[in-house]
Structure formats: structure tokens, C-alpha cells
Amino acid sequence: MERLQKFLAHAGVASRRSCEELILQGRVKVNGKVITALGTKIDPQKDIVEIDGKRVKKEEKKVYVLLNKPAGYVTTSKDPQGRPTVLDLIKDINERIYPVGRLDYETEGLLLLTNDGELSFRLTHPKYKVEKVYQALVKGIPDESDLEKLRKGIRLEDGITHPAKVKILQKGSNSTLLELIIHEGRNRQVRRMCEAINHPVLSLKRIKIGFLSLGSLPKGKFRPLTPEEVKLLKMRVGLV
Ligand code: URA
């Protein structure tokens, strides 16, 4: 027996959290009956699971893609405003993959996409402490006490951030390039952190997730992860 949301995530439907939302929204049926209780266990061998009336099959080939996202793309599969989505940049992949976490419309850089719901869940959950490295060009020149606030954790409207690693990479006349390393993935987190020290972000790029970096991958291009990279990522979050 397996918990329904885990079964859905393993089947590559979405991340475990998004699967929980699908259940709560009443979009999931087991053996013809709508299930909204998150604790529900199912027998993946016998039970028939449907989302929006479409059967969910147990296993799908797992696909892992690393994209260098340009600014001007949304990180969702559909945008109500009709803006381009990161999936428009992924060609020749037959499986339904979706982004691991989110980058803002204006943010560039490393984005993973996969249909491996469990890996996606773990890479984004703060519990697994997978570091995300950002380069933020901010307005003005933050001083040491500003940076210390980010290092200690800063109060945002949704709570205090976990301590960040922060250093100055380059100072301009009225802007500064910072490197920030965080392992949370709250909405617009880096932008809000920098705003909170009165040095708003002018541009933002993610250059690493864990050991994976953009390397020389051109903007707008993607590549599959190597089997070795997939194995190392899984090991990092306790999946092998
Ligand atoms: N933090 C942000 O503010 N934006 C992103 O896109 C990623 C992290």
C-alpha cells in the first residue's frame, strides 16, 4: 500500500506538494470515487487512479533536463497571460516534464525539469538543504552590516529566512554583484531579501543547484543530465 500523493508524485504527475493540492481540489479519483483525504492509501497494483478523469499509470521513463532559462519566460506549464513558458524551450522530449521549483519571469539561469516527482520534492524542500547559488546585481553598495543581516536570517512577511551565505563578487559605481547561497525556495526570496536591506535586485541569475552548474550551456538551451549526475543528485537527497 502506498499513500496516494506519493503514488502520484512517483508516477510523474507533479511534485508531491502539487499532488496534495490536486487531491484537496477533488480532482483525484480512486476506483471511481473522489478522494480528498491526504492520508488515503492505495494499492498501486490493483487500484485505478484518475486525475481529471484521466488514468494515471504507475511508471514512466524518468527524464531529467537542465535548462539555462532566459529572462522573459514563466516557470509554469501554462500562463493565463499567454507569456512564453520554459516548456516552449524544451524540444524533442516526449514525456510530460515540469520545473523543479520556480524562477521568476525576469530571473535567468539554471532550472531543472523532470517527471521524477520525488526527486523534485526533495530538491526543493528546505529539509534536504540543497544549496541554490544566485548572482544578484543589486542597487547601491551594501555594507558589512547589511550582509550580516542576510547571513543571520532576515524577517520577511512570511517569516525569518534561514541563514544565507553572502559575499560581494564585484563593486560598481552604484551597483554591486552579490553571490547568495540559500537552500529555501520561497516565492521571490532573493529579491525580497535584498529589498529588505534596501538594496533592490536589478538582475538575478541562478548559477548552481547543489553540485550542478550552468557551465557553458548557452542561454535558452537545455541538456539532459548524465546518468552519473542523476545518481549523484539522488544520493545527495537520500534516494539511492
Ligand atoms: N529568488 C528570487 O527572488 N527569484 C527567483 O527567481 C529565485 C530566487
Side-chain angles (χ1 to χ4, degrees), residues 9 11-12 60-63 95-98 113-117:
E60 202 186 6
K61 185 184 147 208
K62 296 286 186 269
V63 180
E95 289 75 12
R96 202 169 73 99
I97 56 174
Y98 56 90
L113 298 104
T114 183
N115 54 357
D116 185 335

Side-chain angles (χ1 to χ4, degrees), residues 90-114:
I90 311 287
K91 309 271 187 268
D92 303 325
I93 301 269
N94 296 323
E95 289 75 12
R96 202 169 73 99
I97 56 174
Y98 56 90
V100 177
R102 231 181 324 184
L103 288 180
D104 303 329
Y105 182 68
E106 317 89 322
T107 303
E108 297 177 17
L110 198 162
L111 183 69
L112 291 175
L113 298 104
T114 183

Side-chain angles (χ1 to χ4, degrees), residues 21 33 42 71 73 92 158 188 195:
E21 276 164 27
K33 193 164 159 262
I42 60 142
Y73 285 79
D92 303 325
D158 51 356
R188 299 182 78 82
E195 190 84 51

Side-chain angles (χ1 to χ4, degrees), residues 8 23 46 77 80 86 90 106 137 143 147 162 181 187 191 199 223:
L8 292 172
I23 296 171
K46 285 214 301 247
S77 11
V86 289
I90 311 287
E106 317 89 322
L137 184 68
D143 59 26
L147 302 184
H162 287 201
I181 307 183
N187 192 26
R191 291 176 198 276
H199 291 281
R223 69 167 178 87

